[in-house]
Amino acid sequence: MPVSHDALTVREYQGIQQVVGPLIFVDKIHNVGYNELVEIRCPDGEERLGVVLESKEGAAVIQVFEGTTNLSLSETSVRFRGEPLKLPVTRDMLGRVFDGLGRPTDGGPNPISDKRRDVNGQPVNPTARLYPTKFIQTGISAIDGMNTLVRGQKLPVFSGSGLPHNKVAAQIVRQAKIVDEDVSFAIVFAAMGVKHDVARYFVRNFEETGVLENVVMFLSLADAPSVERLITPRTALTMAEYLAFEENMHVLVILTDMTNYCEALREISTIRGEIPSRKGYPGYLYSDLASLYERAGMVEGSTGSITQVPILTMPNDDISHPVPDLTGYITEGQIVLERELSQRGVYPPIAGLPSLSRLMKDGIGPGMTREDHAHIASQLFAAYAKVKDVRALASVIGEEELTPLDHTYLKFGEAFEKDFLSQNETEDRSIEQTLDLGWKVISLLPKEELARVTDEEIGKFYGQ
Amino acid sequence: MYDVIGHVSRVLGPVVHASGVKRAKMLELVEVGEDRLIGEIVRLDGDAVTIQVYEDTTGLAPGSAVYGSGMPLSVELGPGLIGSIYDGVQRPLEAIKAQAGVFIPRGMRAAPLNRERKWLFTPSVQKGDKVQPGQVLGTVQETERILHKVLVPPMVSGKIKSIQSESEYTIQDTICILESENDEIPLTLLQRWPVRRPRPIQERLASNIPLITGQRVIDTLFPVAKGGTVAVPGGFGTGKTMVQHQIAKWSDADVVVYIGCGERGNEMTNVLNEFPKLVDPRTGRPLMERTVMIANTSNMPVAAREASIYTGITIAEYYRDQGYHVAIMADSTSRWAEALRELSGRMEEMPAEEGFPAYLPTLLAEFYERAGMVNTLNGEQGSITIIGAVSPPGGDFSEPVTQHTKRFIRAFWALDRDLANARHYPAISWLDSYSEYIDDVSGWWQEQGDHNWAELRSVMMDLLQKEERLQQVVKLVGADVLPDTQRLILEVCTMFKNTFLQQSAFDKIDTYSTVEKQVKMLKIIVTFYQMGLAAIQQGATLIKVRRLKVVHDIIRMKFSIANDESDKLDALQDRLEREMKRLGDIYASFA
Ligand SMILES: Nc1ncnc2c1ncn2[C@@H]1O[C@H](COP(=O)(O)OP(=O)(O)OP(=O)(O)O)[C@@H](O)[C@H]1O
Ligand SMILES: [Mg+2]
């Protein structure tokens, strides 16, 4: 039943037909647009937001971000906004805290801006991208030396419950810098379904580093309705795009925890009765994640960049679970945390072999890091892979039966984990320190074993 | 331009239903709503139709008009394709950038081929000539290396009523008028062809020429013939895209069609940056002069991703019909299959395995069938080689897309997670991969020189199999218990893996190897085994064999000896034989 009677502006209706989980069904309405924003007024006057998931003649299916608790069929009204969800964007939002839909939760005023951006974003034209090549020094050897992060990259952290992914992410945030460059930067932090103390941990970290006024936070914590998580990374990335591509800032985006995001997506999909693919996740999980992760990079006409560090916990530490699996298929590598290393007290417990940075090759080498970087990294990977084999062999035949060379590899493996991988949470190593450390541990192996470095490099760095 | 044929009744993401539709054809191209979003009719049911829309449908409301075009989804064919980059429905991305900037908004439209540019057309037929479908009317030098042959369209024949003289024309200028039975057909440099229909050929031929990729593990162990089909399956980060890029760069195809199907934007940017600068070793021309790119990245609309495969293969067929050898890379066919699944789900079709539609295998078969070595309508030889990446969930090859694909391909380059983790690249497993083209192409290799490729190859494959069995023993009891003759096998296989199979895409010299370099390297390693074995049998120890001075240089030969320095490989071979002989002689004198 239309509340207003002006035939052209009839946009608000009293009463809905059906409520199923976070979805509501309305009919006898005008023809509304797909993906259009809807304001829902609850019986007690509370306002909620939703979007049109499906539009039929005179009817629509709406997904309510804040959930449907307390809605009643007759006393709920819906108002169609005639446009998708948009976020007002301005530089004034730096230093502020918002909910997942972009509404302030820090007691401050609503941001005012004539620039309002569709949170769904638009695909970047591949011909307008600039290929990322600038080395970001994180001060963490396992990353800088072997899985180098570059500006504009999307490099997730694959973790497990109880592993120190927040510590690692916070250390990256604190220490990340482009060597020899002073530029304006910002951090966009989006939390989906994580606990308050996790959010607080990051806030404290931002405070201690003195960057709080450069951070925009979008928090949809564990006690917020799960559907809100679906929009949270989108508002965050909309903010990031504005800061990077219009305000020319270098933006580091932390998205945590993507597994919670995916679960919310699964929930909606199940309620809608869609045919699931693996483990109940919808078949479009890949495309959906891509619509987030691809919002990283650099583009023509702007000097800013978006670097994404999404964090996700692998259910059961299983890297083949759909969430890490599909993430790995989209991102430009992954930093994998390993429980076994962590249990042995190694921090950061960054797994030697499954971690990878695909953009590394263009960000390292002479003029960027050092001329030997690619080769020593490759040599460390090869040698560490051999260590894994030797350890497996030793566990079967016993260490005594190993050849002398195998023993040397075991020694190298220990040094690699203890001296190269391990470092203090506050230790900020320069790239030279990292590479020198790499040479120090690899020099435990005889020269003949080092087929991936050149004779000149051996002459210059081996045993130094 | 187009007529209204009905109105939208329901919008469900990329799937749109319309009702009250008259005169619609299956697979007809339509435009939907005020923004004139492009779509294709995928189901007819009385006066209701289902439309797959190639653009984001945000804001589209029921009641919006649907406009019919009367024709199926087609691509534009003509000079100007080479060097271009298109989205999945052939919208030119450079032109769209010029109009819209960094992002791709909805409803963008631009002609795939430049309408203003003039091309120098040289006729090769004369007035009065009778011409058949596929016959060459004349030529245009499209790029320095591609002579574009302007063909009589398939299905068209007749007598030349008039033909333009050599001069410059736009693609829309009439260059020829054909007189057929009862009408006159004006022909231009521009033609259209519906993407879902294979272009006709005269006959299929067997293929026994390898597509040389410059990648040693491929050319030497698991070759593909020109006109062949290959699948490259592998979990994330195992190297599918790198393999495809390497082949796009270094293979000896005349034309390369690269389809980025639901993958990363940066990977396309990377190709766009590199290809104009990289020079094809065979022709000395920039690689971009033979490359057509289709980029429907993962964040672009999913329906257009489904179409991108067909857009690409149709362009490939067009160059094949001109007598070229075309290599087409689809990265990744799994994303295409997932697009099918998503659309099928939204159309409420009954799913088969893992939600994929039951017709997935049929469509895969139809796609790979479009590969082949053929006699074109014009009687020339041309070919399409398809190299399809497969991205199995969890890296598990038992899933439907990998399994069905296996039925329709003849070479399988299985990427191995453990190899990739150990940074053994390309991570093509020598145990799980196969090629059914080995016998077909061994004749060609034989003709390349005096090396016995097939024999060297089988010696090496045999050693790899033996090594695998020995490793089982080693894993239980260690290598120490094996006799030196067997430990030599382990030694040689390690050498072969490190120096031959591993090939760095990032090293200037190693990134590709000529056929000659490959065979010579292979021969050196096989010689090392054979003479080493003889020496050990004469009494030498493995340590002595391994410590030969020449070993150091063998291990580095791929980096230190450039493709045009094959005499250095000959010298290395000689040195190896001399050092081995000396070693053998020492022991022979005791005997
Ligand atoms: N031949 C090679 N030489 C050097 N490095 C390689 C080679 N092949 C693969 N790599 C390394 O492996 C990384 C991953 O390769 P690639 O991007 O091709 O994986 P993929 O199988 O396409 O993954 P996805 O399915 O996620 O797209 C590359 O970024 C590169 O670092
Ligand atoms: Mg890839």
Side-chain angles (χ1 to χ4, degrees):
Chain A
M1 182 61 66
V3 176
S4 151
H5 287 280
D6 180 338
L8 283 173
T9 56
V10 177
R11 294 275 170 203
E12 185 164 348
Y13 303 89
Q14 179 77 42
I16 56 180
Q17 268 53 56
Q18 204 186 346
V19 182
V20 184
L23 304 182
I24 62 179
F25 297 78
V26 288
D27 64 7
K28 303 203 183 63
I29 56 173
H30 69 286
N31 287 332
V32 298
Y34 174 71
N35 230 348
E36 187 171 312
L37 183 66
V38 190
E39 288 168 356
I40 298 118
R41 194 193 304 274
C42 308
D44 62 2
E46 186 198 332
E47 291 268 2
R48 295 186 193 173
L49 290 177
V51 291
V52 174
L53 278 192
E54 181 179 339
S55 172
K56 286 188 261 202
E57 279 171 333
V61 181
I62 299 161
Q63 166 182 316
V64 187
F65 293 124
E66 297 95 329
T68 50
T69 316
N70 274 334
L71 293 191
S72 75
L73 295 185
S74 59
E75 282 171 88
T76 300
S77 67
V78 290
R79 216 171 101 94
F80 293 90
R81 290 278 296 267
E83 59 172 26
L85 177 59
K86 289 188 174 170
L87 181 76
V89 285
T90 121
R91 254 188 118 103
D92 300 341
M93 292 164 83
L94 287 167
R96 304 276 317 266
V97 185
F98 303 90
D99 72 1
L101 300 173
R103 296 173 298 205
T105 57
D106 54 3
N110 278 323
I112 298 170
S113 171
D114 50 356
K115 293 179 179 149
R116 295 169 64 250
R117 301 279 181 265
D118 180 349
V119 297
N120 299 298
Q122 286 175 332
V124 173
N125 189 323
T127 65
R129 281 186 185 271
L130 299 174
Y131 197 72
T133 56
K134 272 248 156 71
F135 164 60
I136 299 180
Q137 182 175 300
T138 66
I140 300 173
S141 292
I143 298 179
D144 295 351
M146 302 181 64
N147 303 287
T148 317
L149 175 66
V150 300
R151 197 145 75 187
Q153 183 170 13
K154 37 190 183 287
L155 189 65
V157 176
F158 287 8
S159 186
S161 45
L163 292 180
H165 42 269
N166 294 326
K167 253 192 190 175
V168 175
Q171 189 170 2
I172 294 176
V173 169
R174 277 198 310 273
Q175 300 182 170
K177 58 177 159 292
I178 307 273
V179 183
D180 302 330
E181 226 182 285
D182 195 21
V183 286
S184 72
F185 76 98
I187 294 162
V188 171
F189 180 82
M192 285 86 65
V194 300
K195 299 213 185 69
H196 282 270
D197 47 345
V198 172
R200 222 171 300 126
Y201 173 80
F202 277 99
V203 172
R204 193 155 23 85
N205 240 286
F206 297 145
E207 262 168 8
E208 282 165 8
T209 331
V211 296
L212 203 55
E213 63 276 16
N214 286 329
V215 184
V216 195
M217 287 195 255
F218 297 89
L219 305 180
S220 173
L221 300 178
D223 51 4
S226 73
V227 207
E228 191 183 309
R229 294 173 201 166
L230 292 181
I231 222 72
T232 310
R234 296 190 160 79
T235 44
L237 288 163
T238 304
M239 187 72 222
E241 280 173 351
Y242 168 76
L243 294 173
F245 304 147
E246 296 184 51
E247 296 287 340
N248 295 311
M249 300 177 90
H250 293 292
V251 186
L252 177 64
V253 181
I254 308 274
L255 305 167
T256 184
D257 176 326
M258 289 305 293
T259 305
N260 295 335
Y261 169 87
C262 296
E263 272 166 12
L265 199 67
R266 174 167 67 178
E267 196 177 313
I268 294 286
S269 172
T270 312
I271 290 167
R272 298 188 68 197
E274 291 171 339
I275 302 153
S277 62
R278 286 170 68 221
K279 294 212 157 89
Y281 290 92
Y284 49 80
L285 180 58
Y286 174 84
S287 301
D288 189 278
L289 285 173
S291 75
L292 303 175
Y293 297 142
E294 278 289 307
R295 292 172 83 175
M298 295 190 295
V299 298
E300 287 176 0
S302 119
T303 54
S305 64
I306 299 178
T307 308
Q308 274 191 31
V309 179
I311 298 172
L312 60 86
T313 46
M314 302 181 279
N316 277 323
D317 291 352
D318 176 8
I319 198 170
S320 70
H321 181 280
V323 175
D325 189 50
L326 295 180
T327 298
Y329 270 124
I330 302 163
T331 52
E332 287 145 347
Q334 64 279 339
I335 302 292
V336 183
L337 303 191
E338 194 177 277
R339 193 166 301 277
E340 200 241 347
L341 278 177
S342 183
Q343 279 164 349
R344 281 196 279 131
V346 175
Y347 173 87
I350 296 178
L353 302 182
S355 301
L356 168 74
S357 164
R358 305 185 191 213
L359 301 186
M360 175 168 178
K361 65 170 195 306
D362 298 297
I364 62 170
M368 296 177 283
T369 56
R370 210 166 75 184
E371 72 275 17
D372 56 318
H373 192 160
H375 288 166
I376 181 70
S378 169
Q379 186 64 67
L380 286 168
F381 275 120
Y384 193 54
K386 173 92 184 180
V387 170
K388 295 268 172 173
D389 289 344
V390 175
R391 283 182 185 164
L393 181 61
S395 72
V396 180
I397 64 172
E399 275 196 32
E400 320 74 58
E401 300 294 318
L402 296 177
T403 63
L405 182 62
D406 286 347
H407 278 286
T408 316
Y409 268 101
L410 288 184
K411 252 176 59 199
F412 157 77
E414 266 161 50
F416 175 78
E417 287 167 2
K418 207 169 103 287
D419 301 336
F420 183 86
L421 279 190
S422 299
Q423 66 188 85
N424 202 290
E425 212 185 320
T426 53
E427 188 179 350
D428 189 357
R429 291 184 189 154
S430 73
I431 184 65
E432 287 77 23
Q433 283 173 315
T434 288
L435 295 176
D436 289 346
L437 263 178
W439 277 101
K440 188 179 146 221
V441 295
I442 208 77
S443 298
L444 291 170
L445 296 173
K447 287 179 195 164
E448 306 83 70
E449 286 296 299
L450 310 184
R452 298 201 185 182
V453 292
T454 64
D455 291 344
E456 298 84 75
E457 286 160 351
I458 289 191
K460 194 160 165 197
F461 300 106
Y462 183 86
Q464 293 299 302
Chain B
M1 180 175 61
Y2 294 174
D3 295 337
V4 176
I5 57 166
H7 291 90
V8 172
S9 58
R10 183 175 175 209
V11 187
L12 200 63
V15 171
V16 168
H17 298 261
S19 57
V21 177
K22 294 166 212 85
R23 288 184 295 104
K25 282 189 260 176
M26 190 63 181
L27 298 185
E28 178 177 343
L29 184 73
V30 296
E31 292 181 354
V32 183
E34 268 170 55
D35 285 338
R36 298 283 191 133
L37 309 178
I38 314 174
E40 196 179 354
I41 293 182
V42 290
R43 189 190 282 162
L44 296 174
D45 181 8
D47 70 346
V49 299
T50 306
I51 302 163
Q52 156 175 339
V53 177
Y54 294 121
E55 301 182 65
D56 178 13
T57 52
T58 295
L60 183 66
S64 308
V66 175
Y67 305 84
S69 73
M71 55 177 202
L73 177 68
S74 303
V75 285
E76 288 193 355
L77 301 170
L81 288 168
I82 302 277
S84 294
I85 173 164
Y86 297 109
D87 80 350
V89 286
Q90 214 199 7
R91 278 179 295 198
L93 290 172
E94 294 279 4
I96 285 183
K97 179 172 72 178
Q99 284 179 40
V102 166
F103 294 100
I104 307 177
R106 260 170 300 140
M108 287 304 301
R109 212 51 54 82
L113 291 173
N114 189 322
R115 297 295 191 262
E116 271 93 58
R117 178 158 177 195
K118 292 200 160 185
W119 300 92
L120 180 67
F121 169 72
T122 311
S124 51
V125 291
Q126 288 174 349
K127 185 175 168 180
D129 285 356
K130 282 221 169 91
V131 292
Q132 297 300 318
Q135 195 171 329
V136 180
L137 289 172
T139 55
V140 164
Q141 196 71 47
E142 185 174 4
T143 65
E144 288 265 355
R145 68 174 281 175
I146 297 295
L147 184 68
H148 194 108
K149 297 175 191 160
V150 182
L151 308 176
V152 178
M155 324 298 182
V156 173
S157 58
K159 203 162 93 189
I160 307 273
K161 183 172 176 227
S162 68
I163 176 98
Q164 296 291 344
S165 56
E166 176 168 308
S167 181
E168 296 205 322
Y169 302 94
T170 72
I171 54 166
Q172 287 176 306
D173 292 336
T174 300
I175 46 136
C176 171
I177 296 178
L178 265 192
E179 227 168 19
S180 71
E181 269 155 40
N182 36 26
D183 55 354
E184 289 187 352
I185 307 165
L187 296 177
T188 60
L189 298 180
L190 171 68
Q191 303 180 10
R192 288 196 176 74
W193 188 262
V195 296
R196 298 191 194 272
R197 193 152 113 223
R199 285 172 62 89
I201 52 162
Q202 208 180 87
E203 61 177 338
R204 287 178 166 275
L205 303 172
S207 173
N208 42 28
I209 309 167
L211 178 80
I212 295 301
T213 66
Q215 309 304 300
R216 294 184 293 265
V217 59
I218 295 175
D219 294 345
T220 297
L221 292 195
F222 307 108
V224 56
K226 290 204 168 86
T229 47
V230 195
V232 195
F236 65 79
T238 51
K240 299 177 291 296
T241 304
M242 291 294 297
V243 166
Q244 303 240 23
H245 280 196
Q246 286 297 88
I247 297 177
K249 285 176 187 168
W250 308 122
S251 71
D252 65 349
D254 300 316
V255 173
V256 167
V257 178
Y258 192 95
I259 313 173
C261 174
E263 292 289 313
R264 301 171 185 82
N266 270 336
E267 291 173 349
M268 302 312 289
T269 312
N270 192 13
V271 174
L272 283 174
N273 287 347
E274 280 193 324
F275 278 37
K277 290 180 218 144
L278 285 175
V279 167
D280 176 2
R282 283 169 205 87
T283 58
R285 302 297 312 171
L287 286 172
M288 212 57 199
E289 291 188 2
R290 67 165 191 187
T291 310
V292 186
M293 289 174 59
I294 314 285
N296 215 93
T297 56
S298 56
N299 54 343
M300 284 156 77
V302 68
R305 187 197 300 172
E306 189 272 332
S308 65
I309 290 279
Y310 297 100
T311 299
I313 192 93
T314 308
I315 292 172
E317 285 175 342
Y318 177 64
Y319 283 96
R320 173 205 63 195
D321 291 347
Q322 297 171 39
Y324 287 116
H325 295 293
V326 186
I328 177 167
M329 281 113 231
D331 187 12
S332 157
T333 59
S334 294
R335 305 302 166 218
W336 166 79
E338 285 164 10
L340 274 181
R341 173 169 71 185
E342 181 170 343
L343 296 165
S344 159
R346 292 194 196 255
M347 281 162 55
E348 283 142 14
E349 293 174 339
M350 272 295 283
E353 303 146 275
E354 296 192 13
F356 288 105
Y359 48 79
L360 172 71
T362 315
L363 294 186
L364 276 170
E366 281 172 5
F367 172 64
Y368 283 105
E369 265 306 293
R370 290 173 81 166
M373 174 71 85
V374 306
N375 256 335
T376 67
L377 292 181
N378 193 38
E380 287 179 283
Q381 278 198 13
S383 71
I384 296 180
T385 311
I386 299 183
I387 299 139
V390 183
S391 316
D396 173 4
F397 291 178
S398 66
E399 58 89 39
V401 181
T402 317
Q403 284 306 315
H404 289 304
T405 301
K406 258 186 141 165
R407 295 161 48 200
F408 312 120
I409 48 94
R410 289 188 59 210
F412 190 75
W413 299 334
L415 298 180
D416 184 273
R417 164 69 59 199
D418 290 335
L419 289 178
N421 279 355
R423 271 54 175 180
H424 171 116
Y425 296 126
I428 296 177
S429 160
W430 48 91
L431 296 171
D432 301 334
S433 305
Y434 61 80
S435 164
E436 292 174 14
Y437 297 106
I438 293 157
D439 293 342
D440 304 354
V441 302
S442 54
W444 181 91
W445 279 90
Q446 224 58 44
E447 288 162 21
Q448 297 310 299
D450 55 357
H451 302 292
N452 195 341
W453 174 79
E455 198 182 306
L456 291 172
R457 181 189 178 280
S458 74
V459 170
M460 215 47 243
M461 282 306 281
D462 186 48
L463 287 177
L464 288 171
Q465 303 292 336
K466 284 200 178 111
E467 190 229 6
E468 178 60 14
R469 282 194 299 275
L470 290 174
Q471 288 292 359
Q472 305 299 332
V473 180
V474 171
K475 278 196 188 112
L476 291 176
V477 291
D480 271 354
V481 299
L482 299 178
D484 274 4
T485 49
Q486 293 191 335
R487 291 184 65 181
L488 177 68
I489 295 178
L490 301 182
E491 192 72 24
V492 169
C493 287
T494 305
M495 175 190 269
F496 182 65
K497 289 175 207 168
N498 290 339
T499 62
F500 192 93
L501 295 183
Q502 275 182 39
Q503 189 171 0
S504 170
F506 306 139
D507 185 87
K508 254 208 178 105
I509 291 181
D510 201 30
T511 185
Y512 88 100
S513 291
T514 56
V515 166
E516 199 178 8
K517 181 170 172 184
Q518 293 189 37
V519 184
K520 288 187 172 169
M521 284 176 67
L522 181 63
K523 188 164 173 209
I524 286 172
I525 295 168
V526 169
T527 306
F528 180 81
Y529 172 67
Q530 290 168 338
M531 292 189 74
L533 183 65
I536 289 172
Q537 281 164 346
Q538 278 169 316
T541 57
L542 176 65
I543 306 275
K544 293 262 189 239
V545 173
R546 190 201 274 161
R547 295 236 170 110
L548 289 180
K549 285 225 165 55
V550 71
V551 171
H552 180 89
D553 291 334
I554 292 178
I555 286 174
R556 285 172 170 75
M557 64 186 166
K558 61 176 170 183
F559 295 122
S560 57
I561 302 180
N563 279 313
D564 54 3
E565 300 176 321
S566 74
D567 49 325
K568 288 196 182 164
L569 286 169
D570 294 335
L572 196 60
Q573 172 86 28
D574 288 348
R575 239 183 85 203
L576 168 65
E577 289 176 15
R578 271 201 315 276
E579 288 187 23
M580 278 288 193
K581 185 157 179 305
R582 209 177 308 135
L583 181 68
D585 286 351
I586 294 172
Y587 289 93
S589 61
F590 293 132

